[in-house]
Amino acid sequence: MQRRRYLRKSSLEEAQTIFLEHPGIGQYDKIEELPTQNSLGRIIAEPVFAVVSSPHYHCSAMDGVAVSAEDTFTASTANRVRLGKDQFCIVDTGDPIPPEFNSVIMIENVVEIDEDTIELTSPAIPWQHIRMAGEDIVATELILTRGHKIRPIDIAAMLSGGVMSLKVKKKPIVTVIPTGDEIIEPCDNPEQGKIIDSNSYMLSAMVTEWGGEPKRLPIVEDDFEQIKSTILQASYESDIILTSAGSSAGREDFIPPAIEELGELLVHGISISPGKPTALGIVNGKPIIGLPGYPVSMAVSAESFLKPLLCKMLGIANITPTKVNASVSRKVASKLGDREFIRVKLIHTNDSWTAVPLARGASVLNSLVRADGIMKIPENAEGIVPGEFIEIDLMRSPDEIDNSVMIIGSHDLTLDILADEIKINYPHIHISSAHVGSLGGLMALKRNEAHLAGTHLLDEKGKYNVSYVKKMLPDRKMTLINLVHRQQGLIVAKGNPQGIKGLFDIVEKGLAYCNRQRGSGTRILLDYELKKLGLAPDKIIGYDREVYTHMAVASAIATGIADAGLGIFASSKALNLDFIPIAEERYDLAIPEEFLSLQGIKIILQTISSDRFKSRVQSLGGYDTRDTGKGLKIRD
């Protein structure tokens, strides 16, 4: 065969566009179901929801004794309280809490008089040192979205949530074809003039690392008909074809003409060094990449074309691990002598990185699932102060974080639907959320810890959100975008065994209540309704028992910790509980106007205005989307 010329040299960006955006390339919908414990590194095809709560029972958080807190209220150093054998139970960490007890005292704080008697010098608080059922994960809660690459910690989270199997993208089969008369299989004594084939094994490892299933074929000699036959057979048996060597413009570089005869040669010759002789095409509907024979050229070309192709087929971002320096948003204390690893979310605004520390508890598994990176506090530091810069080890790529939108504020189930809808249609955009209450969300905006905040704050005039935004962010131009109107009410056990009709019954019957945290819109709504009814908060048993999400309130009812709690209808429906409506409220997204031009924010606003999103939200029950997507500008 005569020496041939390159088809036409293309720039890297042009070649990537021609190849990766070709209509017949990158379309991939093969799915398989796997046991959860065998899913490491796989890409989730459908959202994963918890089947059971974690923990699924109330358990001791430490070694000690379980008691009824009420039996200890009078204890002090001057008035020691003795408990008999029926008033306490020795428990170890993780042991179930007997139903007659509601508190655990550390064993170090217990004076043992004899086998049947202990003595206490301080009172216990109800539910202290007890991990409540659902503390980490609540049944029906979204654990992971589609398009997520499963890590070891994700397997633990799913198994803790009772997920025994899940649907994942099937690994694309990538056939690797080494070519060349001079190429031989690996050995420790090659003869002169022969070259050990290391390239195809490097390519196979790259395929594995990037989520594919490599299928390496025996070496093919520089024979045009044999190369054509091998490529054609591979097109029937695989999803991607790679060839090693033979892609240049020499007399025995048979890959480009073979692609031309069998299918379509899209690109041959790219203006990069190394990597110029790369050939890109399609054969029998399957993408083929003819890679150069020099190892460095091959690696550069594979990074430029194979990796993004696999990412496109699997619906994931093209990840490039790195480190960044970020300023810390709030004070973080640390113990001298220990190097501490803090999970953080990262916010990238105005060319600077801000690290937002996540929950540090050893049992809070979900904080690792949500983290963008790890912040390491040195052994000789007692902590770091706000604004101090520190290096972050990324768990996601900078591009992925740049394409992330951080939502901090009030908890709502529709945020899970929003994250999933965006993953379906915009896999490069990542939605992160943290539940700190409506006021906490507005404070996060003030500290530049978030791009937007979910809020449903009711003022004394019965209006939602506007007055709070003006008060807390007076110097910032803001926009309120309605997400939903939703039903808030009392969540009670199935069948309403206590016969609860409203908040009056909680007080009059002395029932146990589970409350949302201070600063949450639900807590403010409760106080507003109590004031209207002339009820004092201190008359409600459990008013100071705080949780951070609607699902946690529902879980407390479902597991018997409380008789009632204020929450949204969708949470009661998720756990098959009864619901007593109290009020319809407006749930808005508060967005600083300078963020409205960000791609991720634009995609969010486009998504929530779609009929598909509204339909999914309405299917949850208790939601009205009549104003969803409508905005109100706040400038003073």
Side-chain angles (χ1 to χ4, degrees):
M1 183 174 288
Q2 295 182 345
R3 186 180 299 274
R4 60 179 280 126
R5 296 181 180 273
Y6 290 115
L7 186 65
R8 182 180 69 85
K9 285 202 297 183
S10 306
S11 68
L12 176 60
E13 293 75 18
E14 183 183 9
Q16 288 173 326
T17 298
I18 293 171
F19 183 60
L20 297 173
E21 296 185 11
H22 188 279
I25 289 177
Q27 306 302 316
Y28 190 74
D29 57 1
K30 297 179 182 178
I31 293 173
E32 62 181 337
E33 188 163 350
L34 291 177
T36 300
Q37 56 266 43
N38 296 339
S39 64
L40 179 65
R42 304 302 293 273
I43 307 303
I44 294 174
E46 295 181 359
V48 178
F49 295 90
V51 177
V52 299
S53 295
S54 175
H56 62 277
Y57 61 92
H58 308 318
C59 64
S60 178
M62 56 186 59
D63 298 340
V65 295
V67 300
S68 175
E70 292 76 8
D71 291 341
T72 73
F73 284 166
T74 60
S76 67
T77 53
N79 181 38
R80 299 191 172 199
V81 169
R82 286 197 174 188
L83 300 180
K85 63 179 181 178
D86 294 331
Q87 294 177 286
F88 72 93
C89 173
I90 297 175
V91 291
D92 295 323
T93 301
D95 283 351
I97 302 299
E100 64 268 26
F101 300 130
N102 65 357
S103 187
V104 170
I105 300 173
M106 291 188 296
I107 194 65
E108 299 95 311
N109 297 332
V110 175
V111 178
E112 184 178 356
I113 304 303
D114 55 44
E115 287 187 0
D116 297 329
T117 310
I118 61 172
E119 195 170 71
L120 306 175
T121 59
S122 61
I125 300 171
W127 299 101
Q128 73 175 15
H129 306 318
I130 291 176
R131 292 191 65 203
M132 294 187 296
E135 177 186 283
D136 189 9
I137 298 171
V138 179
T140 77
E141 181 179 358
L142 177 72
I143 300 177
L144 295 167
T145 62
R146 73 180 77 212
H148 182 81
K149 184 176 181 180
I150 300 172
R151 302 164 295 172
I153 198 69
D154 300 325
I155 291 176
M158 288 187 288
L159 291 175
S160 295
V163 179
M164 296 294 100
S165 66
L166 70 158
K167 291 182 179 179
V168 298
K169 288 265 191 169
K170 194 169 183 179
K171 290 184 179 182
I173 297 174
V174 183
T175 297
V176 180
I177 306 172
T179 69
D181 294 336
E182 74 282 12
I183 305 300
I184 60 171
E185 295 291 343
C187 64
D188 58 7
N189 187 29
E191 62 179 279
Q192 191 171 5
K194 296 297 181 182
I195 300 174
I196 293 174
D197 173 32
S198 58
N199 286 349
S200 66
Y201 292 97
M202 177 180 69
L203 281 175
S204 297
M206 287 177 167
V207 169
T208 299
E209 182 180 13
W210 296 334
E213 185 72 43
K215 179 183 178 181
R216 179 189 176 275
L217 300 184
I219 297 167
V220 180
E221 295 182 351
D222 287 324
D223 178 271
F224 184 61
E225 293 302 325
Q226 187 178 353
I227 287 175
K228 276 204 312 179
S229 174
T230 304
I231 290 174
L232 184 60
Q233 185 62 34
S235 72
Y236 294 119
E237 299 173 349
S238 56
D239 301 299
I240 300 174
I241 308 161
L242 304 179
T243 61
S244 169
S247 65
S248 190
R251 288 179 300 173
E252 293 187 342
D253 289 312
F254 298 133
I255 301 301
I259 296 174
E260 280 184 317
E261 287 199 16
L262 293 171
E264 183 179 2
L265 182 64
L266 301 172
V267 175
H268 183 216
I270 302 170
S271 298
I272 56 175
S273 179
K276 181 177 69 174
T278 302
L280 307 170
I282 185 166
V283 172
N284 196 27
K286 306 297 174 61
I288 180 169
I289 305 176
L291 294 159
Y294 286 119
V296 177
S297 298
M298 180 177 293
V300 169
S301 294
E303 184 84 28
S304 300
F305 298 101
L306 173 60
K307 186 177 181 184
L309 174 58
L310 283 168
C311 288
K312 181 178 181 181
M313 295 174 74
L314 293 170
I316 59 176
N318 191 350
I319 298 174
T320 55
T322 188
K323 298 176 183 286
V324 298
N325 283 320
S327 63
V328 180
S329 65
R330 64 181 76 137
K331 182 179 179 180
V332 180
S334 184
K335 182 181 177 181
L336 278 173
D338 292 339
R339 175 180 294 183
E340 191 166 5
F341 295 73
I342 308 293
R343 285 87 78 187
V344 299
K345 294 296 298 182
L346 288 166
I347 306 295
H348 195 194
T349 56
N350 300 323
D351 297 323
S352 64
W353 294 91
T354 301
V356 182
L358 292 171
R360 301 166 69 177
S363 66
V364 187
L365 187 64
N366 203 35
S367 66
L368 266 179
V369 175
R370 293 174 46 235
D372 290 326
I374 302 293
M375 174 175 63
K376 299 175 184 177
I377 301 179
E379 293 92 329
N380 60 351
E382 289 187 283
I384 50 179
V385 297
E388 183 176 347
F389 279 83
I390 190 167
E391 188 174 72
I392 306 294
D393 292 337
L394 296 186
M395 298 171 67
R396 308 184 199 274
S397 74
D399 287 343
E400 189 177 3
I401 298 169
D402 254 345
N403 287 322
S404 295
V405 178
M406 186 66 181
I407 305 175
I408 293 182
S410 172
H411 170 247
D412 192 82
L413 300 180
T414 57
L415 296 177
D416 294 337
I417 292 178
L418 174 62
D420 186 53
E421 280 295 303
I422 288 174
K423 274 295 181 184
I424 293 172
N425 299 296
Y426 308 97
H428 63 291
I429 298 295
H430 180 71
I431 302 297
S432 300
S433 60
H435 312 313
V436 298
S438 295
L439 285 175
L442 296 182
M443 284 300 299
L445 289 180
K446 192 170 185 177
R447 294 192 297 258
N448 291 316
E449 291 181 351
H451 296 102
L452 64 156
T455 178
H456 57 109
L457 293 166
L458 181 66
D459 64 23
E460 294 180 352
K461 297 179 179 179
K463 304 295 183 181
Y464 276 96
N465 301 323
V466 174
S467 62
Y468 286 90
V469 172
K470 287 181 176 180
K471 181 180 179 180
M472 298 184 66
L473 298 158
D475 301 320
R476 206 163 184 181
K477 294 180 179 180
M478 299 290 297
T479 296
L480 285 172
I481 303 292
N482 180 249
L483 185 63
V484 287
H485 293 273
R486 63 186 191 177
Q487 284 291 327
Q488 282 265 29
L490 287 174
I491 300 172
V492 299
K494 186 68 176 175
N496 194 6
Q498 301 289 349
I500 300 169
K501 297 179 181 178
L503 291 169
F504 264 119
D505 291 330
I506 304 298
V507 175
E508 291 181 358
K509 296 183 178 183
L511 301 178
Y513 188 82
C514 183
N515 209 356
R516 288 292 306 278
Q517 80 278 17
R518 291 174 178 83
S520 69
T522 301
R523 176 70 163 263
I524 291 172
L525 175 62
L526 172 66
D527 292 343
Y528 179 85
E529 293 293 330
L530 291 175
K531 186 177 180 180
K532 281 201 318 183
L533 296 170
L535 297 175
D538 60 3
K539 298 297 184 181
I540 295 180
I541 299 172
Y543 180 84
D544 293 324
R545 182 187 299 155
E546 299 180 346
V547 296
Y548 282 81
T549 68
H550 294 283
M551 290 303 301
V553 173
S555 176
I557 311 306
T559 58
I561 292 176
D563 298 303
L566 196 61
I568 59 175
F569 174 83
S571 294
S572 68
K573 180 182 177 183
L575 295 189
N576 195 30
L577 300 169
D578 278 8
F579 182 81
I580 303 163
I582 297 290
E584 183 187 68
E585 64 178 9
R586 180 186 180 94
Y587 184 100
D588 291 330
L589 301 176
I591 311 174
E593 284 197 14
E594 66 265 28
F595 293 155
L596 291 175
S597 61
L598 296 177
Q599 183 189 25
I601 299 295
K602 290 180 179 178
I603 287 173
I604 285 177
L605 299 183
Q606 179 181 334
T607 300
I608 66 175
S609 298
S610 69
D611 291 339
R612 177 184 165 90
F613 173 78
K614 293 176 183 178
S615 176
R616 288 187 67 180
V617 168
Q618 289 168 348
S619 70
L620 294 175
Y623 288 104
D624 190 310
T625 58
R626 63 183 182 271
D627 292 326
T628 298
K630 295 180 181 179
L632 173 65
K633 292 188 176 183
I634 301 175
R635 297 186 178 276
D636 56 355

